[in-house]
Amino acid sequence: MPLRQSGFLLFLLLCVSWAARSDTGCLKQVFGSYCLGGSIQQLQRQYPAGVPAQKQGDRSAVVYQNGRERTYVMAFKGEIYKVLHTYDPASQSTLKKLKKRLEAKYGAYRDHSHYPAYTRTKAAKIGAIRRGEGELKHVWSSPEQAWRIELEWTRKLGVSLAYLANALDDEQREASNEGL
């Protein structure tokens, strides 16, 4: 009888642990503090120092600042679909370091960059980025994962690294397109 009870208790503990994990909806822990797919309200309770951005319909965001760097946490219907971190300095060196770390951990990326037709050299591409005429964008995604990573260098945000929950990102994009 004691053996049967301890087996039942173990089973009960496993069920409670599984339920707690599924309630959070966390697809991936990002930058040590943010839960892709989790609740933005829970995040704000846990880390109240963020500055809420203007809410637009079902979309909301919180911005956390650390010196000149920022982390943008974006949500749709209260669920976090994107966590984006900007880096300072926004330079080729910063980009190379991030790209090297991501390639070591996640393998090859897909290049989604775009530049004006006249840009041929690396210097010309960097110039186009700084003028706002082009952008570098590398994407790591896998069919087995419910999330993807985007490393970008743009004029607006500089060098940034974003983690996106695929299904939530698609849902918020569709809702945005319906509003047009």
Side-chain angles (χ1 to χ4, degrees):
M1 190 82 153
L3 185 57
R4 205 184 302 164
Q5 285 177 340
S6 64
F8 177 74
L9 285 175
L10 179 61
F11 174 76
L12 188 61
L13 284 172
L14 287 172
C15 287
V16 168
S17 170
W18 177 80
R21 226 175 322 152
S22 65
D23 283 346
T24 64
C26 194
L27 300 173
K28 178 161 182 63
Q29 194 74 22
V30 179
F31 303 122
S33 303
Y34 312 101
C35 181
L36 254 178
S39 163
I40 196 156
Q41 288 82 15
Q42 181 179 346
L43 174 71
Q44 289 177 295
R45 284 191 300 274
Q46 193 173 357
Y47 299 104
V51 178
Q54 186 174 359
K55 189 172 178 165
Q56 296 177 328
D58 288 333
R59 286 174 195 73
S60 57
V62 179
V63 181
Y64 295 91
Q65 189 156 352
N66 184 9
R68 291 175 45 163
E69 296 183 357
R70 290 184 176 94
T71 302
Y72 299 86
V73 181
M74 291 158 251
F76 180 67
K77 295 182 179 176
E79 294 180 51
I80 299 169
Y81 74 90
K82 183 175 186 177
V83 179
L84 180 142
H85 185 83
T86 61
Y87 291 86
D88 188 53
S91 65
Q92 188 175 4
S93 174
T94 301
L95 185 76
K96 277 181 164 179
K97 288 176 191 173
L98 289 167
K99 184 175 148 188
K100 186 176 180 176
R101 284 189 0 221
L102 290 165
E103 284 179 309
K105 188 167 185 174
Y106 300 107
Y109 61 88
R110 289 187 325 248
D111 191 351
H112 290 234
S113 305
H114 68 275
Y115 305 98
Y118 63 83
T119 57
R120 302 272 187 257
T121 66
K122 191 177 281 191
K125 290 177 181 179
I126 291 171
I129 291 168
R130 291 197 170 133
R131 287 188 305 277
E133 298 171 354
E135 72 174 15
L136 178 140
K137 183 175 184 178
H138 299 320
V139 178
W140 285 264
S141 65
S142 166
E144 303 90 48
Q145 300 293 345
W147 48 270
R148 70 183 182 279
I149 301 168
E150 296 179 354
L151 176 62
E152 293 184 285
W153 189 4
T154 64
R155 179 180 182 169
K156 185 176 181 179
L157 291 175
V159 174
S160 65
L161 179 60
Y163 289 80
L164 294 100
N166 296 330
L168 285 169
D169 185 42
D170 291 344
E171 188 179 338
Q172 70 85 26
R173 191 177 307 111
E174 283 178 29
S176 178
N177 290 339
E178 287 174 6
L180 296 177

Short mmCIF file of all heavy atoms in Angstrom, two decimals, residues 42-86:
data_model
loop_
_atom_site.label_atom_id
_atom_site.label_comp_id
_atom_site.label_asym_id
_atom_site.label_seq_id
_atom_site.Cartn_x
_atom_site.Cartn_y
_atom_site.Cartn_z
N GLN A 42 1.38 39.23 -16.79
CA GLN A 42 2.22 38.55 -15.81
C GLN A 42 3.64 39.11 -15.85
O GLN A 42 4.26 39.33 -14.81
CB GLN A 42 2.25 37.04 -16.07
CG GLN A 42 3.07 36.27 -15.07
CD GLN A 42 3.04 34.77 -15.35
OE1 GLN A 42 2.21 34.28 -16.10
NE2 GLN A 42 3.94 34.05 -14.73
N LEU A 43 4.15 39.38 -17.05
CA LEU A 43 5.48 39.97 -17.19
C LEU A 43 5.54 41.32 -16.51
O LEU A 43 6.49 41.62 -15.78
CB LEU A 43 5.84 40.11 -18.67
CG LEU A 43 7.15 40.85 -18.96
CD1 LEU A 43 8.34 39.99 -18.55
CD2 LEU A 43 7.23 41.22 -20.42
N GLN A 44 4.52 42.15 -16.70
CA GLN A 44 4.50 43.47 -16.09
C GLN A 44 4.43 43.40 -14.57
O GLN A 44 4.95 44.27 -13.89
CB GLN A 44 3.35 44.31 -16.65
CG GLN A 44 3.60 44.72 -18.08
CD GLN A 44 2.44 45.48 -18.68
OE1 GLN A 44 1.35 44.94 -18.85
NE2 GLN A 44 2.67 46.74 -18.98
N ARG A 45 3.75 42.38 -14.04
CA ARG A 45 3.73 42.20 -12.58
C ARG A 45 5.10 41.76 -12.09
O ARG A 45 5.57 42.22 -11.05
CB ARG A 45 2.67 41.17 -12.18
CG ARG A 45 1.25 41.71 -12.22
CD ARG A 45 0.26 40.76 -11.57
NE ARG A 45 0.21 39.44 -12.17
CZ ARG A 45 -0.55 39.11 -13.22
NH1 ARG A 45 -1.33 40.02 -13.78
NH2 ARG A 45 -0.55 37.88 -13.68
N GLN A 46 5.75 40.89 -12.85
CA GLN A 46 7.05 40.36 -12.46
C GLN A 46 8.15 41.40 -12.63
O GLN A 46 9.06 41.50 -11.81
CB GLN A 46 7.37 39.12 -13.30
CG GLN A 46 8.52 38.31 -12.81
CD GLN A 46 8.65 37.00 -13.59
OE1 GLN A 46 7.84 36.69 -14.46
NE2 GLN A 46 9.66 36.25 -13.28
N TYR A 47 8.09 42.19 -13.70
CA TYR A 47 9.10 43.22 -14.00
C TYR A 47 8.39 44.55 -14.26
O TYR A 47 8.21 44.96 -15.40
CB TYR A 47 9.93 42.83 -15.23
CG TYR A 47 10.70 41.54 -15.04
CD1 TYR A 47 10.26 40.36 -15.65
CD2 TYR A 47 11.83 41.50 -14.25
CE1 TYR A 47 10.95 39.18 -15.47
CE2 TYR A 47 12.53 40.31 -14.06
CZ TYR A 47 12.07 39.16 -14.69
OH TYR A 47 12.75 37.99 -14.50
N PRO A 48 7.98 45.25 -13.21
CA PRO A 48 7.16 46.45 -13.38
C PRO A 48 7.93 47.68 -13.89
O PRO A 48 7.32 48.70 -14.17
CB PRO A 48 6.63 46.71 -11.97
CG PRO A 48 7.61 46.06 -11.06
CD PRO A 48 8.17 44.88 -11.82
N ALA A 49 9.24 47.60 -14.05
CA ALA A 49 10.03 48.76 -14.45
C ALA A 49 9.88 49.13 -15.93
O ALA A 49 10.36 50.16 -16.36
CB ALA A 49 11.51 48.52 -14.15
N GLY A 50 9.19 48.31 -16.70
CA GLY A 50 9.01 48.59 -18.12
C GLY A 50 8.05 49.75 -18.36
O GLY A 50 7.19 50.04 -17.55
N VAL A 51 8.23 50.39 -19.50
CA VAL A 51 7.36 51.50 -19.88
C VAL A 51 6.33 50.97 -20.88
O VAL A 51 6.70 50.54 -21.98
CB VAL A 51 8.18 52.64 -20.53
CG1 VAL A 51 7.28 53.76 -20.99
CG2 VAL A 51 9.24 53.14 -19.57
N PRO A 52 5.05 50.97 -20.51
CA PRO A 52 4.03 50.51 -21.47
C PRO A 52 3.95 51.44 -22.67
O PRO A 52 3.96 52.65 -22.52
CB PRO A 52 2.73 50.55 -20.67
CG PRO A 52 3.14 50.61 -19.24
CD PRO A 52 4.47 51.30 -19.22
N ALA A 53 3.94 50.85 -23.85
CA ALA A 53 3.78 51.63 -25.07
C ALA A 53 2.29 51.82 -25.33
O ALA A 53 1.45 51.20 -24.67
CB ALA A 53 4.44 50.92 -26.24
N GLN A 54 1.97 52.66 -26.28
CA GLN A 54 0.57 52.91 -26.60
C GLN A 54 -0.09 51.62 -27.07
O GLN A 54 0.44 50.90 -27.90
CB GLN A 54 0.48 53.97 -27.69
CG GLN A 54 -0.93 54.39 -27.98
CD GLN A 54 -0.96 55.54 -28.97
OE1 GLN A 54 0.06 56.01 -29.42
NE2 GLN A 54 -2.15 55.98 -29.31
N LYS A 55 -1.26 51.34 -26.53
CA LYS A 55 -2.00 50.13 -26.90
C LYS A 55 -2.83 50.42 -28.14
O LYS A 55 -3.43 51.48 -28.26
CB LYS A 55 -2.91 49.71 -25.74
CG LYS A 55 -3.54 48.38 -25.94
CD LYS A 55 -4.26 47.92 -24.69
CE LYS A 55 -4.90 46.58 -25.01
NZ LYS A 55 -5.34 45.85 -23.89
N GLN A 56 -2.82 49.48 -29.10
CA GLN A 56 -3.58 49.62 -30.33
C GLN A 56 -4.44 48.38 -30.52
O GLN A 56 -3.94 47.34 -30.95
CB GLN A 56 -2.66 49.79 -31.53
CG GLN A 56 -1.83 51.05 -31.49
CD GLN A 56 -0.89 51.13 -32.66
OE1 GLN A 56 -0.41 50.14 -33.17
NE2 GLN A 56 -0.62 52.35 -33.10
N GLY A 57 -5.71 48.48 -30.17
CA GLY A 57 -6.61 47.35 -30.30
C GLY A 57 -6.15 46.17 -29.46
O GLY A 57 -5.98 46.31 -28.25
N ASP A 58 -5.93 45.03 -30.10
CA ASP A 58 -5.49 43.82 -29.40
C ASP A 58 -3.98 43.79 -29.20
O ASP A 58 -3.46 42.84 -28.62
CB ASP A 58 -5.91 42.57 -30.20
CG ASP A 58 -7.40 42.32 -30.13
OD1 ASP A 58 -8.03 42.73 -29.13
OD2 ASP A 58 -7.94 41.69 -31.06
N ARG A 59 -3.27 44.79 -29.69
CA ARG A 59 -1.81 44.82 -29.57
C ARG A 59 -1.38 45.70 -28.41
O ARG A 59 -1.96 46.77 -28.20
CB ARG A 59 -1.18 45.36 -30.86
CG ARG A 59 -1.22 44.39 -31.98
CD ARG A 59 -0.72 45.04 -33.27
NE ARG A 59 -1.07 44.22 -34.40
CZ ARG A 59 -2.30 44.09 -34.89
NH1 ARG A 59 -3.28 44.75 -34.35
NH2 ARG A 59 -2.54 43.30 -35.91
N SER A 60 -0.37 45.25 -27.70
CA SER A 60 0.21 46.05 -26.62
C SER A 60 1.70 45.77 -26.59
O SER A 60 2.18 44.78 -27.16
CB SER A 60 -0.44 45.72 -25.28
OG SER A 60 -0.30 44.35 -24.99
N ALA A 61 2.43 46.65 -25.92
CA ALA A 61 3.88 46.48 -25.84
C ALA A 61 4.40 47.10 -24.56
O ALA A 61 3.78 48.00 -23.99
CB ALA A 61 4.56 47.12 -27.04
N VAL A 62 5.55 46.61 -24.13
CA VAL A 62 6.26 47.16 -22.98
C VAL A 62 7.72 47.31 -23.42
O VAL A 62 8.26 46.43 -24.09
CB VAL A 62 6.18 46.22 -21.76
CG1 VAL A 62 6.95 46.81 -20.58
CG2 VAL A 62 4.75 45.96 -21.37
N VAL A 63 8.33 48.42 -23.04
CA VAL A 63 9.71 48.68 -23.40
C VAL A 63 10.55 48.72 -22.12
O VAL A 63 10.21 49.45 -21.18
CB VAL A 63 9.86 50.02 -24.16
CG1 VAL A 63 11.32 50.25 -24.55
CG2 VAL A 63 8.96 50.05 -25.38
N TYR A 64 11.63 47.94 -22.10
CA TYR A 64 12.56 47.92 -20.98
C TYR A 64 13.87 48.51 -21.48
O TYR A 64 14.39 48.09 -22.51
CB TYR A 64 12.79 46.49 -20.48
CG TYR A 64 11.54 45.88 -19.89
CD1 TYR A 64 10.65 45.15 -20.68
CD2 TYR A 64 11.24 46.06 -18.54
CE1 TYR A 64 9.50 44.61 -20.14
CE2 TYR A 64 10.09 45.51 -18.00
CZ TYR A 64 9.23 44.79 -18.80
OH TYR A 64 8.09 44.25 -18.27
N GLN A 65 14.38 49.50 -20.75
CA GLN A 65 15.60 50.17 -21.18
C GLN A 65 16.74 49.81 -20.25
O GLN A 65 16.59 49.78 -19.03
CB GLN A 65 15.41 51.68 -21.20
CG GLN A 65 16.56 52.39 -21.84
CD GLN A 65 16.17 53.75 -22.39
OE1 GLN A 65 15.01 54.11 -22.43
NE2 GLN A 65 17.17 54.50 -22.83
N ASN A 66 17.91 49.54 -20.86
CA ASN A 66 19.13 49.26 -20.12
C ASN A 66 20.23 50.08 -20.77
O ASN A 66 20.80 49.67 -21.78
CB ASN A 66 19.45 47.76 -20.16
CG ASN A 66 20.66 47.42 -19.31
OD1 ASN A 66 21.17 48.26 -18.57
ND2 ASN A 66 21.13 46.21 -19.43
N GLY A 67 20.49 51.27 -20.23
CA GLY A 67 21.45 52.18 -20.86
C GLY A 67 20.88 52.63 -22.18
O GLY A 67 19.74 53.08 -22.27
N ARG A 68 21.68 52.47 -23.25
CA ARG A 68 21.20 52.88 -24.58
C ARG A 68 20.53 51.73 -25.33
O ARG A 68 20.06 51.89 -26.44
CB ARG A 68 22.37 53.43 -25.38
CG ARG A 68 22.85 54.76 -24.80
CD ARG A 68 24.07 55.30 -25.45
NE ARG A 68 24.02 55.23 -26.90
CZ ARG A 68 24.80 55.92 -27.70
NH1 ARG A 68 25.67 56.74 -27.19
NH2 ARG A 68 24.71 55.79 -29.01
N GLU A 69 20.52 50.56 -24.73
CA GLU A 69 19.87 49.40 -25.34
C GLU A 69 18.44 49.28 -24.82
O GLU A 69 18.15 49.68 -23.69
CB GLU A 69 20.66 48.12 -25.06
CG GLU A 69 22.04 48.14 -25.68
CD GLU A 69 22.82 46.85 -25.48
OE1 GLU A 69 22.33 45.92 -24.79
OE2 GLU A 69 23.92 46.76 -26.03
N ARG A 70 17.57 48.71 -25.66
CA ARG A 70 16.17 48.54 -25.27
C ARG A 70 15.71 47.13 -25.60
O ARG A 70 16.18 46.53 -26.56
CB ARG A 70 15.28 49.52 -26.03
CG ARG A 70 15.45 50.95 -25.62
CD ARG A 70 14.46 51.83 -26.36
NE ARG A 70 14.55 53.20 -25.89
CZ ARG A 70 15.30 54.12 -26.47
NH1 ARG A 70 16.02 53.83 -27.51
NH2 ARG A 70 15.32 55.34 -25.98
N THR A 71 14.74 46.66 -24.83
CA THR A 71 14.06 45.40 -25.14
C THR A 71 12.58 45.73 -25.28
O THR A 71 11.96 46.28 -24.37
CB THR A 71 14.27 44.35 -24.03
OG1 THR A 71 15.68 44.13 -23.87
CG2 THR A 71 13.59 43.04 -24.39
N TYR A 72 12.04 45.41 -26.46
CA TYR A 72 10.63 45.63 -26.76
C TYR A 72 9.91 44.29 -26.64
O TYR A 72 10.29 43.33 -27.31
CB TYR A 72 10.46 46.15 -28.19
CG TYR A 72 11.15 47.47 -28.45
CD1 TYR A 72 12.49 47.51 -28.82
CD2 TYR A 72 10.45 48.67 -28.33
CE1 TYR A 72 13.12 48.72 -29.07
CE2 TYR A 72 11.08 49.88 -28.58
CZ TYR A 72 12.41 49.90 -28.95
OH TYR A 72 13.03 51.10 -29.19
N VAL A 73 8.88 44.24 -25.80
CA VAL A 73 8.08 43.03 -25.64
C VAL A 73 6.70 43.34 -26.20
O VAL A 73 6.01 44.22 -25.69
CB VAL A 73 8.00 42.60 -24.17
CG1 VAL A 73 7.17 41.33 -24.02
CG2 VAL A 73 9.39 42.41 -23.58
N MET A 74 6.32 42.63 -27.28
CA MET A 74 5.07 42.91 -27.96
C MET A 74 4.09 41.77 -27.79
O MET A 74 4.49 40.60 -27.84
CB MET A 74 5.35 43.17 -29.44
CG MET A 74 6.09 44.48 -29.65
SD MET A 74 6.96 44.52 -31.20
CE MET A 74 8.64 44.41 -30.63
N ALA A 75 2.83 42.12 -27.59
CA ALA A 75 1.81 41.11 -27.34
C ALA A 75 0.59 41.32 -28.23
O ALA A 75 0.30 42.45 -28.65
CB ALA A 75 1.38 41.14 -25.88
N PHE A 76 -0.09 40.23 -28.49
CA PHE A 76 -1.36 40.25 -29.21
C PHE A 76 -2.36 39.49 -28.36
O PHE A 76 -2.10 38.34 -27.97
CB PHE A 76 -1.19 39.60 -30.60
CG PHE A 76 -2.44 39.57 -31.41
CD1 PHE A 76 -3.01 40.75 -31.88
CD2 PHE A 76 -3.06 38.38 -31.72
CE1 PHE A 76 -4.16 40.73 -32.64
CE2 PHE A 76 -4.22 38.35 -32.48
CZ PHE A 76 -4.77 39.53 -32.94
N LYS A 77 -3.47 40.13 -28.04
CA LYS A 77 -4.49 39.56 -27.16
C LYS A 77 -3.88 39.08 -25.84
O LYS A 77 -4.24 38.04 -25.31
CB LYS A 77 -5.23 38.42 -27.85
CG LYS A 77 -6.04 38.87 -29.04
CD LYS A 77 -6.81 37.72 -29.67
CE LYS A 77 -7.63 38.19 -30.85
NZ LYS A 77 -8.30 37.08 -31.53
N GLY A 78 -2.92 39.84 -25.33
CA GLY A 78 -2.31 39.56 -24.03
C GLY A 78 -1.20 38.54 -24.05
O GLY A 78 -0.57 38.31 -23.02
N GLU A 79 -0.91 37.91 -25.20
CA GLU A 79 0.14 36.90 -25.29
C GLU A 79 1.35 37.47 -26.03
O GLU A 79 1.21 38.07 -27.09
CB GLU A 79 -0.36 35.65 -26.02
CG GLU A 79 -1.46 34.92 -25.27
CD GLU A 79 -1.92 33.69 -26.03
OE1 GLU A 79 -1.06 32.88 -26.43
OE2 GLU A 79 -3.13 33.57 -26.23
N ILE A 80 2.52 37.24 -25.48
CA ILE A 80 3.75 37.78 -26.06
C ILE A 80 4.10 37.03 -27.34
O ILE A 80 4.30 35.82 -27.32
CB ILE A 80 4.92 37.67 -25.05
CG1 ILE A 80 4.58 38.50 -23.80
CG2 ILE A 80 6.23 38.12 -25.68
CD1 ILE A 80 5.52 38.28 -22.63
N TYR A 81 4.13 37.78 -28.46
CA TYR A 81 4.48 37.16 -29.74
C TYR A 81 5.86 37.58 -30.24
O TYR A 81 6.42 36.93 -31.12
CB TYR A 81 3.42 37.45 -30.82
CG TYR A 81 3.42 38.86 -31.36
CD1 TYR A 81 4.20 39.20 -32.47
CD2 TYR A 81 2.64 39.85 -30.79
CE1 TYR A 81 4.20 40.48 -32.98
CE2 TYR A 81 2.63 41.13 -31.29
CZ TYR A 81 3.42 41.45 -32.38
OH TYR A 81 3.42 42.72 -32.88
N LYS A 82 6.43 38.64 -29.66
CA LYS A 82 7.74 39.09 -30.13
C LYS A 82 8.51 39.75 -29.00
O LYS A 82 7.95 40.55 -28.25
CB LYS A 82 7.55 40.09 -31.28
CG LYS A 82 8.83 40.58 -31.91
CD LYS A 82 8.51 41.47 -33.12
CE LYS A 82 9.74 41.87 -33.89
NZ LYS A 82 9.38 42.67 -35.08
N VAL A 83 9.79 39.40 -28.90
CA VAL A 83 10.69 40.05 -27.97
C VAL A 83 11.89 40.48 -28.80
O VAL A 83 12.57 39.65 -29.40
CB VAL A 83 11.14 39.12 -26.83
CG1 VAL A 83 12.09 39.85 -25.89
CG2 VAL A 83 9.94 38.58 -26.06
N LEU A 84 12.13 41.79 -28.86
CA LEU A 84 13.19 42.35 -29.69
C LEU A 84 14.13 43.16 -28.83
O LEU A 84 13.68 43.98 -28.02
CB LEU A 84 12.57 43.23 -30.78
CG LEU A 84 13.52 43.90 -31.75
CD1 LEU A 84 12.92 43.91 -33.14
CD2 LEU A 84 13.88 45.31 -31.32
N HIS A 85 15.43 42.92 -28.99
CA HIS A 85 16.45 43.66 -28.23
C HIS A 85 17.33 44.43 -29.20
O HIS A 85 17.80 43.86 -30.19
CB HIS A 85 17.30 42.69 -27.39
CG HIS A 85 18.28 43.39 -26.51
ND1 HIS A 85 17.94 43.89 -25.29
CD2 HIS A 85 19.58 43.69 -26.70
CE1 HIS A 85 19.00 44.46 -24.74
NE2 HIS A 85 20.00 44.36 -25.58
N THR A 86 17.54 45.72 -28.93
CA THR A 86 18.45 46.53 -29.75
C THR A 86 19.81 46.58 -29.07
O THR A 86 19.90 46.52 -27.84
CB THR A 86 17.93 47.96 -29.93
OG1 THR A 86 17.83 48.60 -28.65
CG2 THR A 86 16.58 47.97 -30.63
#
